[in-house]
Amino acid sequence: MLAATDMSDYALELLSISCTFHSKDDPGQRYTAVADTTLRIKAGEFVSVVGPTGCGKSTLLNVGAGLLEPSSGTVKVFGETLAGVNARAGYMFQTEALMPWRSAVANVMVGLQYRGVSDADAREQAEAWLSRVGLSGFGDRYPHQLSGGMRKRVALAQTLVLDPDIILMDEPFSALDIQTRQLMENEVLDIWSAKKKAVLFITHDLDEAIAMSDRVVVLSAGPATHPIGEFAIDLARPRDVAEVRTQPRFVELHTQIWEVLRDEVLKGYAQQLRKAA
Ligand SMILES: Nc1ncnc2c1ncn2[C@@H]1O[C@H](COP(=O)(O)OP(=O)(O)OP(=O)(O)O)[C@@H](O)[C@H]1O
Ligand SMILES: [Mg+2]
């Protein structure tokens, strides 16, 4: 029988979320990064959120992870209002988040150890995940002894070893070269299709968003970022992220979505220039 908390169709719901920050230099000054944003992800659904740099993508993901309390709005996890950290979510950060003093296997083990799993069990599961992400034999290496792509694989194993029902990924592969990136995207899709977890995937790369997702949500440029378009991606699965880009339907979807995204990217870019000035 399903637990009462699992009766909801949605794994994660961000409901009318707004996030306002105080300026560090002038606490009287407020900046509304995200305004009245609603985003729902079904169990097993792969949803990408695209938007220009600085628009509020990481902010929204932090809210979904329970790491940032929104100024207003509610987060629901499998129908239950979230208070504190989202224990059903695994989070892959935009920046490198491995512990440099721990070996690869020890980095993957840490979440399990934190949950009280014995060291021997944690090691066995961590090694199994390292080999699943193509790193068997690299467990003893420290982060500085691994390539950027390998470190991302360790971070992926670190997230997935906890078997989260919701996977939150914040531009996980944006620092990688295109070939490594496509390999990793395909690996994520393979793992996802086997486990069918809810995924909220943040990216500013529209090609990546379309190739990976069931649905793409476009955010406006900030301030007061909010969704301005939502597109169902009806490309057949399984997909190869490199191959799928050549399909006429992909090109059609890309054209449609870019139509909505283009102006926001230009606005976002102009804002970054103003901020830097
Ligand atoms: N803790 C904070 N205090 C003040 N301002 C913040 C804070 N966190 C985010 N911001 C501001 O909110 C806006 C959105 O930031 P966020 O990191 O969510 O953008 P993003 O869409 O993830 O950008 P990128 O694509 O560059 O990663 C930015 O203008 C940022 O400066
Ligand atoms: Mg970000």
Side-chain angles (χ1 to χ4, degrees):
M1 206 180 87
L2 281 175
T5 51
D6 282 356
M7 295 299 278
S8 170
D9 269 355
Y10 293 106
L12 182 64
E13 294 170 273
L14 306 181
L15 303 170
S16 306
I17 299 295
S18 297
C19 295
T20 300
F21 298 112
H22 292 277
S23 157
K24 268 199 198 101
D25 307 326
D26 175 6
Q29 191 96 359
R30 291 162 71 88
Y31 178 81
T32 300
V34 174
D36 197 21
T37 290
T38 294
L39 192 64
R40 295 184 171 90
I41 298 144
K42 288 193 188 126
E45 194 184 19
F46 199 122
V47 176
S48 284
V49 170
V50 292
T53 180
C55 77
K57 300 181 297 296
S58 297
T59 300
L60 270 180
L61 211 72
N62 287 331
V63 168
L67 297 172
L68 174 71
E69 200 181 335
S71 315
S72 64
T74 310
V75 180
K76 288 192 173 179
V77 178
F78 291 98
E80 296 251 299
T81 300
L82 178 68
V85 172
N86 185 349
R88 296 190 68 176
Y91 196 151
M92 209 171 148
F93 293 93
Q94 184 168 6
T95 46
E96 297 262 339
L98 297 179
M99 290 171 244
W101 62 90
R102 280 185 163 241
S103 65
V105 74
N107 263 288
V108 181
M109 286 165 68
V110 71
L112 293 170
Q113 290 168 317
Y114 195 65
R115 283 188 177 177
V117 176
S118 74
D119 285 0
D121 273 2
R123 180 169 291 273
E124 195 180 314
Q125 290 184 49
E127 274 169 359
W129 266 105
L130 281 178
S131 86
R132 222 168 289 173
V133 298
L135 284 182
S136 48
F138 288 88
D140 291 339
R141 299 251 191 126
Y142 286 83
H144 75 274
Q145 298 170 318
L146 298 167
S147 72
M150 288 169 162
R151 287 199 293 272
K152 285 291 176 187
R153 286 171 199 274
V154 177
L156 186 63
Q158 193 181 47
T159 307
L160 298 179
V161 75
L162 298 171
D163 199 25
D165 295 313
I166 303 166
I167 301 170
L168 306 171
M169 300 177 110
D170 192 356
E171 309 208 30
F173 310 133
S174 54
L176 301 178
D177 65 87
I178 186 72
Q179 287 82 8
T180 311
R181 183 173 179 163
Q182 291 184 345
L183 284 171
M184 297 223 36
E185 288 165 354
N186 279 335
E187 279 167 29
V188 167
L189 285 185
D190 276 354
I191 293 165
W192 172 77
S193 64
K195 293 254 184 185
K196 279 293 166 89
K197 303 301 175 95
V199 179
L200 174 54
F201 191 93
I202 302 287
T203 178
H204 53 244
D205 180 342
L206 181 54
D207 283 56
E208 180 177 53
I210 299 172
M212 305 279 283
S213 317
D214 296 320
R215 195 150 53 90
V216 172
V217 176
V218 180
L219 295 181
S220 68
T225 294
H226 56 279
I228 49 167
E230 194 174 314
F231 299 83
I233 307 301
D234 50 5
L235 298 163
R237 292 191 190 270
R239 297 179 197 157
D240 176 289
V241 297
E243 186 277 329
V244 79
R245 284 164 216 235
T246 62
Q247 292 182 15
R249 180 65 185 144
F250 182 98
V251 178
E252 219 170 86
L253 284 164
H254 193 283
T255 309
Q256 271 175 28
I257 305 174
W258 181 241
E259 193 66 29
V260 177
L261 185 58
R262 183 184 46 218
D263 288 349
E264 303 308 315
V265 170
L266 293 175
K267 275 186 234 163
Y269 186 60
Q271 273 162 21
Q272 297 280 317
L273 290 181
R274 272 201 302 278
K275 269 191 198 171

